[in-house]
Amino acid sequence: MGAVILNRVKHSDFPNTIAGVIYQPGAFTAVSDGQINVPISESSTVYKAAQDALNGWDPTYGCIYYFNPNTATNKWIWSKTIVRTIGKHYFCK
């Protein structure tokens, strides 16, 4: 998700700050349902992935969307071109 956020910051269709992208209404379920407020250990893979994204690593190849096909409820996301699968998530442009 970190790379997707940074890709959105660079994209003209989204806010141009990290906070703007993260808190854009309806953009991320983790914000909408409060998951964003759960503390994360510095030893977690989530923390490492965020650091990697900030250091320039983008395993999504520039994607600006991602979703879990097993839990996605918005049919619109399926109209996006799937570029890569990482774990349980599809990354799209």
Side-chain angles (χ1 to χ4, degrees), residues 43-62:
S43 63
S44 78
T45 58
V46 173
Y47 189 88
K48 182 179 181 332
Q51 282 297 131
D52 288 344
L54 288 171
N55 289 327
W57 187 53
D58 182 5
T60 75
Y61 306 119

Side-chain angles (χ1 to χ4, degrees), residues 35-76:
Q35 290 177 61
I36 193 168
N37 299 317
V38 176
I40 298 172
S41 166
E42 287 188 27
S43 63
S44 78
T45 58
V46 173
Y47 189 88
K48 182 179 181 332
Q51 282 297 131
D52 288 344
L54 288 171
N55 289 327
W57 187 53
D58 182 5
T60 75
Y61 306 119
C63 287
I64 55 174
Y65 303 104
Y66 77 99
F67 69 102
N68 181 329
N70 296 318
T71 60
T73 57
N74 188 327
K75 299 203 184 312
W76 167 85

Side-chain angles (χ1 to χ4, degrees), residues 4-55:
V4 168
I5 290 168
L6 294 177
N7 291 338
R8 286 186 181 193
V9 169
K10 296 175 195 170
H11 196 281
S12 62
D13 289 346
F14 297 93
N16 61 359
T17 66
I18 292 172
V21 167
I22 290 171
Y23 292 105
Q24 186 175 25
F28 296 106
T29 304
V31 174
S32 300
D33 69 11
Q35 290 177 61
I36 193 168
N37 299 317
V38 176
I40 298 172
S41 166
E42 287 188 27
S43 63
S44 78
T45 58
V46 173
Y47 189 88
K48 182 179 181 332
Q51 282 297 131
D52 288 344
L54 288 171
N55 289 327

